[in-house]
Amino acid sequence: MTKLIKHQFSFPHPVETVWEYLTNSDLLAAWLMKNDFKPVIGHEFQFRTGPVASLNFDGIFYCKVLEIIPFKHLSYSWNCGPGDGEIALESVVNWDLERTENGTTLHLEHTGFAKKENLEMYNGLLLGWVEKLQKIANLLNA
Amino acid sequence: MAIPTLDVFQVIGDPSRRKMLMLLFAGSMTINNLADNFDMSRPAVSKHVKILETAGFISITDVGRERYCSLKKDGFDEMKAWISYFDKFWLSKLQKLEDLLNNKSLFDEPEK
């Protein structure tokens, strides 16, 4: 299983322009979600979208600005849950901007889902699932 | 005993429940066998087992007078569903950003 989500997009625009779209609340709302983001380390803010019933998600992302290096790097926590401010999933969103000959390459890394030991646990348990389930079935049928 | 409804991360966030899953990974066990591995009361063990069952991590099968616990896949699928959701989410959002920036170059920036 993937431990993180990675996407990379290139734009024929200078990093200053792309940075503006990542850090200006109104511009963010135009492509991402309604928000009260401010480019200030430690600022707590929310993104709001529609709820997703199948994930037991109420549609609010609780975020906090973690790092800002102007025109280069931006990261914030990205937590969400079923409602009433309860947090079920913790993660971090990282943006990195790379100045290129033709403009900007934007890198997104969405990582840190849950706690590290949970993921290791998950990966460990996922290995050999079919084999394991087969063994259990054999045991129960014995 | 009331069983709280926990999400998948809360369920495996508890060290005792993680240990139970690890033990069950080696093969199915009765609740009594499982309890032998823990320094806690039998009702406490039963409560953890119930939480794991409710969250879809294990299933309980009665064999004679014993209750056997076995690993089940559903609990893990939920975590995968979150990550898969975000993957698609970001792709569609970034495409939207691309569209916005493309339009911007048409209207706001002078032609090269």
Side-chain angles (χ1 to χ4, degrees), chain B residues 18-33:
Chain B
R18 277 210 300 278
K19 190 178 165 191
M20 285 178 182
L21 288 175
M22 282 302 179
L23 288 166
L24 291 172
F25 190 55
S28 63
M29 292 172 90
T30 66
I31 295 183
N32 284 326
N33 289 157

Side-chain angles (χ1 to χ4, degrees), chain B residues 36-95:
Chain B
D36 291 342
N37 291 281
F38 293 90
D39 195 16
M40 61 170 88
S41 70
R42 171 63 207 257
V45 170
S46 291
K47 188 177 175 182
H48 283 306
V49 165
K50 192 73 198 157
I51 287 170
L52 288 171
E53 189 194 18
T54 306
F57 282 94
I58 64 169
S59 60
I60 300 174
T61 318
D62 290 321
V63 181
R65 290 169 57 195
E66 292 285 9
R67 309 203 74 203
Y68 278 87
C69 306
S70 310
L71 288 181
K72 207 173 146 199
K73 203 164 158 287
D74 304 16
F76 301 98
D77 284 346
E78 192 188 321
M79 188 135 51
K80 223 170 165 181
W82 270 108
I83 294 183
S84 153
Y85 166 75
F86 280 128
D87 198 35
K88 293 189 190 91
F89 170 89
W90 284 119
L91 198 60
S92 77
K93 294 297 183 190
L94 284 165
Q95 273 156 0

Side-chain angles (χ1 to χ4, degrees), chain A residues 39-96:
Chain A
V40 175
I41 290 175
H43 173 62
E44 291 185 25
F45 64 103
Q46 295 179 2
F47 279 115
R48 284 174 181 256
T49 184
V52 184
S54 63
L55 291 170
N56 197 17
F57 165 48
D58 67 351
I60 303 173
F61 295 109
Y62 296 88
C63 307
K64 185 178 180 177
V65 180
L66 302 174
E67 294 164 312
I68 302 175
I69 304 170
F71 312 121
K72 278 189 179 150
H73 176 78
L74 169 69
S75 69
Y76 35 79
S77 60
W78 182 274
N79 303 334
C80 54
D84 296 326
E86 194 191 316
I87 300 303
L89 177 97
E90 291 187 13
S91 61
V92 175
V93 170
N94 287 286
W95 296 103
D96 284 285

Side-chain angles (χ1 to χ4, degrees), chain A residues 121-138:
Chain A
M121 164 90 188
Y122 171 72
N123 286 323
L125 285 169
L126 202 69
L127 288 171
W129 248 125
V130 178
E131 186 197 2
K132 194 50 66 182
L133 287 172
Q134 193 57 51
K135 251 186 197 166
I136 291 165
N138 290 345

